[in-house]
Structure formats: C-alpha cells, structure tokens
Amino acid sequence: MDDAVIVEVELNMQQMELVERLCAAEGLPEPGAALAVGLAAYLAAQAGVTA
Amino acid sequence: MSGRTLLTEHRMEPGTGIALPVMRGQVLRISQVVGGQCADFNAFNLHDYKEHFHTGRTRHMHGMNPTTGAHLWSAPPRDRPMLTILADTCGSNDVMYPRCSAMLFDMHFGLSPHTNCHDIQAEAQRAYALTPDDVHDSFNFWMNTGIDGDGNPFIAPNRSREGDFVDLLAQIDVLAVPNVCGADVMQTSNFALKPLLVQVFEGTEEDHTHLEPNEPRFPRTQRSVSDFRQPVIKADRALVPDPGYAPEFTNVPLLTQRVPVTLDAAQAAALDDMVATGLFGTDRAEALRFAFFAWYIQTHMQGPRHFRAPAAAT
C-alpha cells in the first residue's frame, strides 16, 4: 500500500475479546484487520453523514 | 378479567399504601377508582429483601415511560425481571422521578407534616419490619412526565381516568408495595388525592405464557447471594473496615496490548481530523480505537442501545 501508515492501538483484554470474536466471525486474519474493517466502515458512515 | 380468580382486594385511601405478597404467576392489578391519581410502587424479593426493584435498570431497558410488555427489573447484580406489565390501559408511567418526600413539601411550600410517598411507603413496608432506609426509588404508575427541548424533566397533568388499570405479573415471589402518591399540591395527581384499588389474582394459563424461565437468562452475570463474597447482611449501622478484606476486582489487573493497524493516507488524514476536533482522543491510535468501537456498538451490540452516532469527525 503506497503511503501506508502503521499505528498501534492500545486495547485492554476485554476489548481484545470482542476484536478476536469479530476476527473469528468474519474470518479476519488478525486483530489489526478487524480494527481496519471497523475504521473503514466508520469513516464511510461519517462520509455519508456529511454528504 | 380473562377468568382470573381474585385472591385479595384492598382499597388504598389517600395517604396510605399497603405491602402485600404476590407470588410468581399471580397478577397484581392497580386500578383508578376516580381517576387522575399517581401510584408509587416498591417491590422486594419476598424471600430476600436485599433484592428489590431498580428504576435505573428498568429505565435503561424500557425507557423513561415503561408500559405494556416492560419488566420491572431488580437492581444489579441480581438484574432480573421481578414483574411484567401485562396490561396498561392508560400508558402514562414514569421511572425518572424519585418518590416525593417530607423534605420536598417543606422546601417547596413550608408544609410539615405532609403526606409524601417516602413516608407512606415506609409505613406500609413496616408491616414486614422494613425500615425507612429500605424504601427505594419508585415505579410511578400514572405519573405523566417527559423531557423538554432543553433536556429538563417535567411533570404534566395526570391523564388517567376512572377504571384505568395496570396488570403486573409476578415473575418471582415479591412483596409488592403500592401507595397513593401524597403529592396533592403538584400536578402529579391533578391537585387532589384519590383512592386506588389493589387486587391480586391467580394468574391464568394465558398469563403464565408471559412468565420468564425460572433459570436466569444470563447465568454468568445475573448473580444471587450464593455468588457473593460477602453474603451476610450487616445488622449494625456503623461502617468499619473489614480487617480480612483483600480486593478481588473483576479482570484486574486489566492487561493491555498494542495492535498494529495499517492505514492508507486517506485514513490517516481522517484520523488526524478526528484528533483535531479534540473529541476523539489525542492521537491517531486513540481516534482509531474510538472509530472502531463506535462502529462496533452500532453493528454488534445486543439489547437496548442508548447512543447517538457521533457528530461528523470532519
């Protein structure tokens, strides 16, 4: 990915449980992928709000 | 009446209340004799008075003005339906306001003594050896309330009429304590105190189709006394430290870990915009965590949800 940026998100163990559950349900390879999916959906929804 | 068998009947006169057992499967009916009268209501587990009705959980689950179909929930950690509203012919109830008390009438009007729901509840509950401190926030039947455009709660005129009633199905054995609200100089009961009729019926088969299972729906988290680290009810009033106390808070220490997330330039810029608002964290990582969970609760959270989508981040 051009201009890719990596950020490290701090999650506590309870939050991790939800993220890992999401990974299992959606077939996502690792927690970072789940966070990326949620971020993309959030930003898309926000774009809809502002459109 | 659906063929219910009447077990008990009592007319509550103004200024009074009554404590009466209602067993699982029985139906408590409270009726307007004249109309326009608010009834405050407390409920306790008949076999363990420390479990009692909780306005907060009920408000959370069913909103500020619960009606037919709503449960009256007990307080955490019991967190279970104690009664269920099977019928409500008026649909004008409140779980936002606390019971009125003697202090209110003294403060507002310089009136003392004066009928008030706390003292009426306390006197009714005394029949079962409960103390004034055991009175809890009330379910207010036929209390017409709302929230105005500025976010302030208000009390409007009572909308109930003669013959209006509520039917409450007991989900567990309860001590039910209704009272005629004592607020005669407020709109709560349209500036006059009127009697209310209280009846207990044996529930019918149809009523019993609304019974929750005996087993907790969430057995890991709906706790009972057997789960308590401190199950003994204090019998003395003073608070003194327990020398053997060693805290065991849930999931503590709350361990954390860092999860790497790969962003493209547009996402990074969007997160920067979120940070710039000052509302979503102090850096991209915190903003991302906010964004993720804001999305997650929108899409995956179960049960009643109390949030608004955040304002646009950009």
Side-chain angles (χ1 to χ4, degrees):
Chain A
M1 186 188 304
D2 290 341
D3 302 321
V5 177
I6 295 177
V7 297
E8 289 197 334
V9 179
E10 185 171 271
L11 300 177
N12 69 38
M13 54 202 253
Q14 300 173 136
Q15 294 169 322
M16 276 302 296
E17 183 177 345
L18 290 184
V19 171
E20 288 169 349
R21 208 181 286 170
L22 182 64
C23 287
E26 302 294 332
L28 300 168
E30 37 83 28
L35 291 178
V37 165
L39 173 64
Y42 176 85
L43 293 177
Q46 289 294 300
V49 169
T50 55
Chain B
M1 198 66 66
S2 309
R4 292 176 187 150
T5 303
L6 179 64
L7 302 174
T8 310
E9 183 171 285
H10 175 81
R11 176 177 156 126
M12 294 192 301
E13 298 299 336
T16 73
I18 186 170
L20 68 173
V22 185
M23 312 307 279
R24 174 175 163 84
Q26 295 179 350
V27 175
L28 171 68
R29 171 170 291 190
I30 310 172
S31 303
Q32 293 285 338
V33 174
V34 177
Q37 178 61 49
C38 170
D40 282 39
F41 183 78
N42 274 201
F44 300 85
N45 178 338
L46 187 62
H47 310 295
D48 179 359
Y49 80 101
K50 297 295 279 186
E51 179 177 15
H52 58 73
F53 167 67
H54 191 232
T55 53
R57 178 61 69 236
T58 303
R59 191 163 58 228
H60 178 187
M61 301 299 264
H62 306 294
M64 301 290 193
N65 306 110
T67 182
T68 304
H71 298 308
L72 277 65
W73 291 77
S74 60
R78 315 302 183 96
D79 268 332
R80 60 175 172 166
M82 299 179 74
L83 301 120
T84 301
I85 303 176
L86 292 185
D88 178 2
T89 59
C90 182
S92 178
N93 307 313
D94 169 82
V95 285
M96 179 167 50
Y97 276 90
R99 58 200 180 276
C100 63
S101 67
M103 183 278 292
L104 277 188
F105 294 97
D106 194 6
M107 178 186 75
H108 286 309
F109 305 105
L111 293 170
S112 179
H114 188 269
T115 54
N116 67 88
C117 288
H118 179 93
D119 288 346
I120 298 169
Q121 275 286 329
E123 186 57 16
Q125 293 178 19
R126 192 168 64 83
Y128 281 76
L130 294 169
T131 76
D133 283 336
D134 295 313
V135 178
H136 55 71
D137 269 359
S138 50
F139 191 111
N140 306 311
F141 291 105
W142 300 294
M143 185 175 184
N144 185 12
T145 67
I147 297 176
D148 68 20
D150 295 324
N152 298 311
F154 63 82
I155 302 170
N158 194 302
R159 296 198 284 114
S160 66
R161 298 174 184 276
E162 178 184 352
D164 273 332
F165 63 87
V166 291
D167 282 347
L168 300 165
L169 174 69
Q171 296 285 356
I172 62 174
D173 296 349
V174 298
L175 182 70
V177 194
N179 75 270
V180 175
C181 173
D184 56 354
V185 286
M186 298 174 181
Q187 289 198 104
T188 318
S189 296
N190 296 346
F191 304 107
L193 304 183
K194 285 85 67 179
L196 293 168
L197 184 65
V198 181
Q199 297 164 302
V200 179
F201 297 92
E202 194 59 68
T204 64
E205 285 187 15
E206 200 284 330
D207 292 329
H208 292 172
T209 63
H210 299 280
L211 282 173
E212 295 279 306
N214 262 320
E215 300 74 28
R217 199 184 292 180
F218 301 99
R220 293 188 305 176
T221 48
Q222 289 174 302
R223 300 191 192 107
S224 60
V225 174
S226 61
D227 303 311
F228 291 1
R229 294 190 188 103
Q230 208 305 59
V232 179
I233 297 172
K234 272 173 58 64
D236 47 353
R237 291 179 179 274
L239 294 171
V240 294
D242 176 356
Y245 170 69
E248 296 179 43
F249 295 109
T250 302
N251 285 352
V252 171
L254 207 51
L255 303 178
T256 63
Q257 68 183 83
R258 292 181 179 278
V259 177
V261 184
T262 303
L263 311 175
D264 61 30
Q267 289 174 324
L271 291 176
D272 288 342
D273 289 340
M274 290 177 68
V275 172
T277 66
L279 300 173
F280 305 106
T282 58
D283 58 26
R284 288 174 177 170
E286 290 183 6
L288 198 164
R289 185 175 58 210
F290 180 95
F292 172 79
F293 282 109
W295 165 77
Y296 187 90
I297 62 173
Q298 287 275 2
T299 53
H300 291 74
M301 185 174 169
Q302 305 297 312
R305 301 187 299 174
H306 297 264
F307 51 79
R308 292 179 176 173
T314 56

